Amino acid sequence: MTDALTDEALDGPAGTAVFSVVYRTYASQVLGYLTARGVEDPEAAMQEVFLSVLPRLGSVHGGAAGLRTFIFSVAHARMVDDYRRQSRTPAKLPFEPELDRREDSSAETQALERIAPQEVLGLLDALPQDQREVLALRLVAGLTVEQSAEAMGKSEGAVKQLQRRALLKLRELADVKEYLKP
């Protein structure tokens, strides 16, 4: 702060008091500067500024103006560091599930989407009642294997087997073969 401030004076309670005054005087200004300059985390950067200033308080010359210049030169350096870090960090975008196209539908769903509802009903009529029920619960209602088993009063293994047999039967039917790609 002044030329008379020595390293010995900064050690102990007097040094803590000096730093406390410096922090209270300049912290809000440094925070405002870093915020206005677009630093990503201005509060953390401000703390870094004062952590850098503290050990060098005894070497500052030029009184209050010299101290202010020193503090803001450190703040400017932290701002530049933050800009460099931001330029090397990939942009953070929020996840938007409706734009995520990585999920593929099942082959059965694609086949059923390609044919008209009347054709689906006709194909399902060619299946035994249990197989028709499993496909209705799994594909139309969207139930899980566990939920379908509970609804039908059957085991999960039985539901899986009925679904497998139903899909094999549909593949065999001549009406479906033209919709399925080899």
Side-chain angles (χ1 to χ4, degrees):
M1 302 231 329
T2 66
D3 292 329
L5 195 58
T6 64
D7 287 337
E8 293 86 33
L10 289 175
D11 290 338
T16 303
V18 168
F19 180 73
S20 180
V21 168
V22 169
Y23 184 83
R24 281 192 311 250
T25 303
Y26 295 106
S28 62
Q29 295 170 15
V30 170
L31 180 61
Y33 171 76
L34 295 170
T35 302
R37 300 296 296 155
V39 171
E40 190 173 58
D41 188 353
E43 290 178 359
M46 178 195 62
Q47 296 301 324
E48 288 178 24
V49 167
F50 284 99
L51 286 173
S52 296
V53 166
L54 175 62
R56 299 189 296 198
L57 271 178
S59 64
V60 174
H61 300 285
L67 177 61
R68 180 178 178 78
T69 301
F70 173 63
I71 290 172
F72 279 93
S73 67
V74 173
H76 178 78
R78 293 303 171 266
M79 178 210 47
V80 170
D81 292 345
D82 187 71
Y83 284 176
R84 288 181 184 144
R85 185 190 50 74
Q86 285 182 39
S87 71
R88 290 187 303 257
T89 304
K92 296 175 186 172
L93 300 175
F95 177 68
E96 298 177 25
E98 63 276 359
L99 299 178
D100 188 3
R101 303 284 185 234
R102 294 179 293 178
E103 184 177 308
D104 292 330
S105 58
S106 67
E108 292 82 12
T109 303
Q110 289 177 6
L112 291 174
E113 287 174 353
R114 292 185 192 134
I115 57 180
Q118 295 81 11
E119 292 176 278
V120 172
L121 292 174
L123 292 170
L124 291 177
D125 284 340
L127 297 174
Q129 177 61 31
D130 281 351
Q131 292 178 5
R132 197 174 33 233
E133 183 68 20
V134 166
L135 289 184
L137 290 171
R138 295 280 292 128
L139 300 176
V140 178
L143 297 181
T144 65
V145 171
E146 297 82 15
Q147 292 167 333
S148 299
E150 187 176 322
M152 293 181 70
K154 297 193 177 288
S155 71
E156 292 176 22
V159 168
K160 289 178 186 178
Q161 192 67 290
L162 285 168
Q163 179 178 333
R164 186 184 71 76
R165 288 180 183 152
L167 294 173
L168 288 173
K169 178 73 173 172
L170 287 176
R171 286 187 185 113
E172 291 173 8
L173 297 172
D175 293 333
V176 177
K177 286 185 180 181
E178 66 187 75
Y179 295 106
L180 298 175
K181 295 179 182 177

